Amino acid sequence: TTEIYTLSLHAALPISHVYLGSKRSMMERIFNDPNEPFWRSAKKMELGLIGPDLFAPFIRDRFAGTGRGIDDRVVDDLLAMTHGHPYGTQELCYFLWEEVAEGAEAGEASLDVAVTKVLRSENAHFSRIWTKAVPNHRLIFQALAEERVVRQITDTFRLKHGLPHDATVRKALRAMIDDELVVHGDDGFRIAEPFFAEWIRRYQS
């Protein structure tokens, strides 16, 4: 999932512990399952994604702080790909930074090389997800990867991508959302992991 949870452990002393995690189901289980030792010991705070108005200046400042520049269009393209996912954005920025010499500026060519390197580093992980997916889930993955964001599941969308009937697609999507493979946000349905969609477009389309 792209959401992050922050949990502060209550204590008798004025001391708090903060737990960060990006796996919703795991964090929920640790603190909300009566059989777990931390049950009801923390307050949940969902941080969510980081908006481009906050992330873009941070990226530019970090590049500038190491004597490198980054084109504004590259920042926009980078954030459009990661959707402001904190880990994904920083991972891509790391690979991009490595492509830029001191005194130079990151351009579209450097970004493309960085994306290729990210996909290579994540290939084993994405291959496991793809291999475990049932055929209907793979079709939905391919459809979402091509569209990037789908506001509504319409007949036109299903027919365009060769998907089964509406009830089957919605049941599959519910399962994929529960497994944190798909996100249903305000903008619609999209693949949760920021680079998995690009991996599917390049290697499974």
Side-chain angles (χ1 to χ4, degrees), residues 4 14 16 24 36 39 44 48-49 62 79 82 87 91 98 103 108 112 118 162 174-175 190 192:
I4 296 179
S16 293
R24 179 192 299 269
E36 295 289 339
W39 178 53
K44 182 175 75 175
L49 302 174
R62 295 295 290 177
L79 292 174
T82 66
Y87 176 81
E91 182 182 21
E98 282 201 320
E108 294 290 346
D112 187 61
V118 169
R174 285 194 296 271
R190 58 179 172 80

Side-chain angles (χ1 to χ4, degrees), residues 64-80:
T66 58
R68 293 159 175 80
I70 181 168
D71 187 274
D72 287 343
R73 290 171 298 180
V74 172
V75 175
D76 292 341
D77 290 346
L78 187 153
L79 292 174

Side-chain angles (χ1 to χ4, degrees), residues 24 30 34-35 66 130 161:
R24 179 192 299 269
I30 290 173
N35 297 314
T66 58
W130 186 259
H161 296 284

Side-chain angles (χ1 to χ4, degrees), residues 103-180:
E105 181 178 80
E108 294 290 346
S110 298
L111 179 61
D112 187 61
V113 173
V115 170
T116 299
K117 289 187 175 181
V118 169
L119 296 182
R120 188 181 302 139
S121 73
E122 299 286 355
N123 183 67
H125 171 56
F126 292 155
S127 294
R128 282 194 298 270
I129 296 174
W130 186 259
T131 301
K132 289 172 61 177
V134 299
N136 281 341
H137 289 194
R138 290 185 184 181
L139 289 175
I140 293 172
F141 275 141
Q142 288 173 323
L144 292 178
E146 182 177 334
E147 302 289 341
R148 300 178 189 269
V149 178
V150 177
R151 178 161 291 279
Q152 293 182 330
I153 306 302
T154 63
D155 289 342
T156 301
F157 169 74
R158 290 191 301 103
L159 291 172
K160 176 182 177 181
H161 296 284
L163 299 177
H165 59 79
D166 185 71
T168 300
V169 172
R170 293 187 182 278
K171 180 180 179 181
L173 278 171
R174 285 194 296 271
M176 295 166 82
I177 291 169
D178 288 344
D179 289 339
E180 302 179 42

